[in-house]
Amino acid sequence: MEMVIYMKEIVIATKNKHKIEEMKAVLIPIGYDVLSLFDFDEFPEIIEDQDSFKGNAMKKAKELSDYLNKTVISDDSGLEVEALEGAPGIFSARYAGDNASYEDNNELLLLSMKHKENRTARFVTSLCVYFRDKEPIFIEQYLYGSIAKDYKGANGFGYDPIFIVKEDGRRLAEYTMEEKNAISHRGKCLKELIPILENIK
């Protein structure tokens, strides 16, 4: 009799191709069949209206899991700048407006920081895995650094070209995907998540 091997299935709650690539690089090697919102014709529009990264991650994961009846992994990530009292924070993706491009957001941030001496900043990722039959998993991690005064690097996305990583002074956009996954806020979350998922039956 032929043995049937069932892959564990998980849905990434995003259409951001960069996030999908980063998460697939970690989840596929540990035996997950990874889907994203590109794989579904219909799913509810989820308004990220919570007041924290964790709240937004939880809301996305739960609502999509309820709708799709599948395990869902969701994250909410952003940039917190000390001199701007934590802005752009949970509004990082739409800092310059609802339809803002990465460049629009970067330009507004550089303008906001023009006369600031304190350029300390950190990236935040709050990650949630929501199961149909288990308690959800929450992980939050950070990447510390500072805001540059210009652009550098051709990799990554979002604020990566203007974020100077504290450890080595390079821009995050100068890292390869493998290097970024090893040190980034989202990469740290996924690294912490791997042994947890591996031990789930």
Side-chain angles (χ1 to χ4, degrees), residues 39-146:
D39 295 298
F40 300 94
D41 293 329
E42 292 184 10
F43 51 86
E45 180 182 0
I46 298 167
I47 308 299
E48 296 181 29
D49 55 2
Q50 303 301 294
D51 61 2
S52 67
F53 293 112
K54 181 179 178 179
N56 282 329
M58 172 68 175
K59 183 177 182 182
K60 282 189 288 186
K62 182 182 186 307
E63 290 189 16
L64 280 169
S65 181
D66 288 346
Y67 183 83
L68 300 172
N69 196 30
K70 295 180 183 295
T71 299
V72 173
I73 182 170
S74 172
D75 82 282
D76 194 33
S77 302
L79 179 68
E80 294 181 332
V81 181
E82 196 171 281
L84 301 179
E85 299 181 344
I90 58 172
F91 303 106
S92 292
R94 51 192 186 278
Y95 186 45
D98 287 340
N99 298 309
S101 66
Y102 293 147
E103 187 176 358
D104 292 336
N105 288 331
N106 283 325
E107 286 295 319
L108 179 57
L109 183 60
L110 290 177
L111 183 64
S112 301
M113 293 293 291
K114 191 171 183 179
H115 302 294
K116 304 290 187 184
E117 290 186 15
N118 178 8
R119 306 187 75 84
T120 301
R122 70 177 185 179
F123 276 116
V124 182
T125 287
S126 187
L127 182 146
C128 175
V129 183
Y130 197 89
F131 302 92
R132 301 302 298 141
D133 57 352
K134 301 177 183 70
E135 288 297 309
I137 298 168
F138 291 103
I139 299 172
E140 190 162 277
Q141 287 284 359
Y142 310 93
L143 177 64
Y144 295 92
S146 59

Side-chain angles (χ1 to χ4, degrees), residues 22 98 102 116 132 177 180-181 183:
E22 287 182 7
D98 287 340
Y102 293 147
K116 304 290 187 184
R132 301 302 298 141
M177 181 180 289
K180 182 179 177 181
N181 283 344
I183 61 100

Side-chain angles (χ1 to χ4, degrees), residues 169-182:
R170 282 191 293 163
R171 308 296 173 86
L172 198 52
E174 294 181 278
Y175 283 67
T176 65
M177 181 180 289
E178 291 76 17
E179 288 177 319
K180 182 179 177 181
N181 283 344

